[in-house]
Amino acid sequence: MSISLRYVAAAVLLAVAAGTSVHAQDNVLNLYSARHYQTDQMLYDQFTKQTGIRINRIEADDNALLERLRTEGRNSPADVILMVDAARLWRAQVEGLFQPVRSKVLEERIPQNLRGGDEGQGAQWFGFSTRARIIVYNKVSVKREDVATYESLADPKNKGKVCTRSGSHPYMLSLIGAMIERNGEPATEKWAQGMVANFARPPRGGDTDQINGVASGECGVALANSYYYARMLRSPRTEDREAINKVGFVWPNQETTGTHINVAGGAVARNAPHREAAVKFLEYLTSDEAQAYFANGNNEWPAVPAVTVKNPALQGMGKFKAENVNVTAIGKNQVAAQKILDRAGYK
Ligand code: FE
């Protein structure tokens, strides 16, 4: 009797232990992230401290993450996906890699134009920081007033001066998607033709290469995301500071529609095994503290309007009027944008 009781007790203990371990296993969040900044670790540690949910991080660039999600399909362990640019987030959405989320916190904190997807079923992705696409110009060879708008870059007066990265890169597709929304397709196609006619060199390299091209004088004017400019401003490297001294920048379209804005954002994965934790994590990213870490990690602005960050480079660049185009529209228009680029020979 006492022996069988001992067996029962042992069995109960085992069951409790197993139950505990299953529970502990459940208290995790699998995060697929295209971000990799030092401040992100603080962000994750803080979330774990507040919620007890441990974060398993898988980091890769945006394309590698998308490929992985497609391959894993229904068996994907991904809970939350962090990516950059509305063009990429929208693509992942239409491929069915996300699921709609209804959350009072997200709806109250993230402005409507920075939430992507069909609002009827709940947004599918949320911008957590914003970046601007700015115009940089050579202070010696170009007059600021000649390059004050995106449209002006396609003007014949800037012939032989314009540099950009590939037109098919998400940063360019999103900019052009926003232009289609503001100006319509025919005007945007004319603009793309004007850009091709004005190239100083065929599109190549990243945004930092465009800034360096402007500094060296090979390009008179170029497009770059604001955080590349801010990063060079803050850089301890002498060559970065020398380059940035030769370059001026403008907030484009201040007299009209405002400067083009894009997002780094996140979503809950379609088959998230830990859905509740995933929503909790997205909500956490809208907190004042998380917003500051998230934005500062890459010299960006918080998506939550009430949050301000102390970033000397961004503060030095000053305030500007931002374009008010919905990120969903920017995403949807990228198909039309790519067609326009192909017809214009904008590689
Ligand atoms: Fe970038």
Side-chain angles (χ1 to χ4, degrees):
M1 190 68 161
S2 79
I3 285 171
S4 70
L5 254 182
R6 226 180 283 161
Y7 275 121
V8 170
V12 167
L13 270 178
L14 271 175
V16 167
T20 312
S21 87
V22 163
H23 184 74
Q25 197 98 59
D26 263 335
N27 230 7
V28 299
L29 174 77
N30 298 321
L31 177 69
Y32 282 28
S33 176
R35 285 170 54 94
H36 30 77
Y37 304 112
Q38 277 178 351
T39 48
D40 288 1
Q41 190 54 52
M42 314 265 265
L43 207 74
Y44 306 141
D45 290 348
Q46 207 49 40
F47 176 72
T48 303
K49 226 168 115 185
Q50 282 179 20
T51 61
I53 299 167
R54 203 162 43 80
I55 295 180
N56 289 328
R57 223 186 323 166
I58 286 158
E59 288 183 349
D61 69 28
D62 299 84
N63 285 332
L65 282 186
L66 281 177
E67 206 39 58
R68 188 173 177 142
L69 285 162
R70 286 182 198 122
T71 313
E72 289 170 344
R74 297 174 63 88
N75 299 319
S76 176
D79 292 307
V80 166
I81 300 154
L82 296 179
M83 291 206 292
V84 297
D85 202 279
R88 289 195 184 105
L89 285 155
W90 179 81
R91 179 153 293 176
Q93 179 210 317
V94 295
E95 283 187 35
L97 299 174
F98 299 159
Q99 61 172 288
V101 172
R102 284 208 172 284
S103 152
K104 258 213 148 57
V105 174
L106 288 165
E107 277 158 34
E108 276 170 20
R109 299 281 283 175
I110 305 294
Q112 201 265 332
N113 67 310
L114 304 183
R115 304 197 297 259
D118 183 356
E119 285 287 325
Q121 299 152 37
Q124 298 223 17
W125 43 281
F126 302 85
F128 292 113
S129 62
T130 61
R131 63 273 298 278
R133 198 126 182 93
I134 61 170
I135 291 171
V136 293
Y137 64 95
N138 185 290
K139 288 199 275 194
V140 175
S141 65
V142 167
K143 279 189 285 187
R144 189 189 166 83
E145 57 267 32
D146 286 343
V147 292
T149 65
Y150 300 115
E151 288 78 3
S152 70
L153 302 187
D155 190 290
K157 72 186 166 198
N158 288 316
K159 195 168 180 58
K161 291 182 181 165
V162 176
C163 289
T164 74
R165 71 191 307 157
S166 164
S168 299
H169 189 274
Y171 300 169
M172 292 302 299
L173 286 177
S174 287
L175 169 69
I176 298 165
M179 288 185 87
I180 290 172
E181 199 64 16
R182 292 192 279 100
N183 302 339
E185 284 189 39
T188 305
E189 181 145 5
K190 267 191 94 177
W191 175 85
Q193 290 162 356
M195 290 290 279
V196 171
N198 282 353
F199 281 156
R201 65 179 186 201
R204 65 158 189 264
D207 285 5
T208 304
D209 299 311
Q210 313 312 316
I211 300 174
N212 282 322
V214 168
S216 76
E218 189 187 2
C219 315
V221 62
L223 290 163
N225 278 354
S226 45
Y227 56 85
Y228 293 103
Y229 183 88
R231 190 184 296 164
M232 284 176 81
L233 274 180
R234 298 180 81 171
S235 171
R237 295 171 63 218
T238 324
E239 51 270 49
D240 286 341
R241 284 203 306 274
E242 281 174 3
I244 216 77
N245 279 336
K246 296 189 176 121
V247 169
F249 83 93
V250 292
W251 299 115
N253 295 42
Q254 291 304 282
E255 307 297 318
T256 53
T257 47
T259 297
H260 171 62
I261 290 295
N262 209 310
V263 294
V268 175
R270 171 72 170 273
N271 300 300
H274 312 98
R275 186 178 196 279
E276 210 177 304
V279 174
K280 227 181 241 180
F281 181 72
L282 295 189
E283 290 177 345
Y284 161 76
L285 285 183
T286 70
S287 67
D288 288 6
E289 183 190 59
Q291 277 286 289
Y293 280 132
F294 197 94
N296 252 334
N298 188 32
N299 295 301
E300 292 179 84
W301 296 280
V304 176
V307 180
T308 52
V309 290
K310 287 199 186 81
N311 182 316
L314 290 184
Q315 279 161 343
M317 287 171 74
K319 284 194 161 48
F320 66 99
K321 175 182 162 186
E323 171 186 270
N324 186 21
V325 175
N326 194 293
V327 286
T328 309
I330 290 174
K332 276 185 186 153
N333 285 346
Q334 68 169 310
V335 177
Q338 186 61 61
K339 283 183 186 154
I340 284 173
L341 290 167
D342 292 343
R343 286 196 296 265
Y346 194 140
K347 294 277 189 261

